[in-house]
């Protein structure tokens, strides 16, 4: 159970990093610690190592610089299934997009106006779609 909670926390942290990549990059570069974000991105994209360690390092650096959100952001909840039992998608959406690497908890419901899938900021690849 503790391992599942830890994994979910890492996935939420990676979601926050993906969604705030530019701001984190600027912040860490200003601190002269951009290499730590590069290490995290390599861990996620290239699977060079378990991303939990570099994510914790980025979190510690950001928190030490007085950003209480750290690299995990404000306690979001993870959605592991694009359509949990009994919970309909917004506006009856039948398709959701998920992290193409399976690394983070990102979930985007498809909208009719989307011409293409959203892009993973860390991998630069389109999110993968799942049909509900």
């Amino acid at each position: 159970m503790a391992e599942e909670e830890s994994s979910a926390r890492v996935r939420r942290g990676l979601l926050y990093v993906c969604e705030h990549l530019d701001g984190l990059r600027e912040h860490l570069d200003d601190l002269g610690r951009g290499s730590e974000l590069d290490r995290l991105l390599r861990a996620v994209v290239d699977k060079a190592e378990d991303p939990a360690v570099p994510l914790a390092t980025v979190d510690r650096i950001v928190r030490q610089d007085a950003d209480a959100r750290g690299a995990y952001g404000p306690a979001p909840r993870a959605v592991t299934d694009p359509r949990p039992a009994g919970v309909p998608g917004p506006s009856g959406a039948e398709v959701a997009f998920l992290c193409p690497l399976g690394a983070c908890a990102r979930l985007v419901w498809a909208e009719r106006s989307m011409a293409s899938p959203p892009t993973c900021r860390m991998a630069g690849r389109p999110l993968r779609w799942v049909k509900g």
Side-chain angles (χ1 to χ4, degrees):
M1 179 95 157
E3 186 175 320
E4 287 178 20
E5 290 173 9
S6 175
S7 175
R9 185 169 192 263
V10 169
R11 289 174 52 82
R12 286 190 309 267
L14 294 175
L15 167 64
Y16 186 80
V17 169
C18 186
E19 290 179 339
H20 298 89
L21 191 58
D22 293 339
L24 284 169
R25 166 68 65 200
E26 184 177 340
H27 188 126
L28 291 169
D29 283 349
D30 287 348
L31 296 172
R33 304 293 300 268
S35 63
E36 298 297 344
L37 184 58
D38 294 335
R39 177 181 170 205
L40 174 59
L41 296 178
R42 280 192 307 276
V44 172
V45 176
D46 300 335
K47 300 192 184 326
E49 65 179 298
D50 180 353
V53 173
L55 179 62
T57 300
V58 168
D59 179 63
R60 188 181 68 254
I61 293 166
V62 173
R63 285 181 186 277
Q64 286 174 346
D65 195 50
D67 183 343
R69 293 172 299 186
Y72 294 96
R77 82 179 173 86
V79 177
T80 57
D81 186 330
R83 185 170 282 195
V87 179
S91 304
E94 293 295 324
V95 173
F97 296 98
L98 305 175
C99 175
L101 305 172
C104 82
R106 187 167 181 197
L107 178 141
V108 177
W109 289 104
E111 297 176 9
R112 294 183 199 280
S113 61
M114 289 180 161
S116 60
T119 301
C120 170
R121 307 276 318 270
M122 288 192 270
R125 295 180 6 205
L127 298 185
R128 64 185 168 88
W129 67 276
V130 292
K131 188 167 180 158

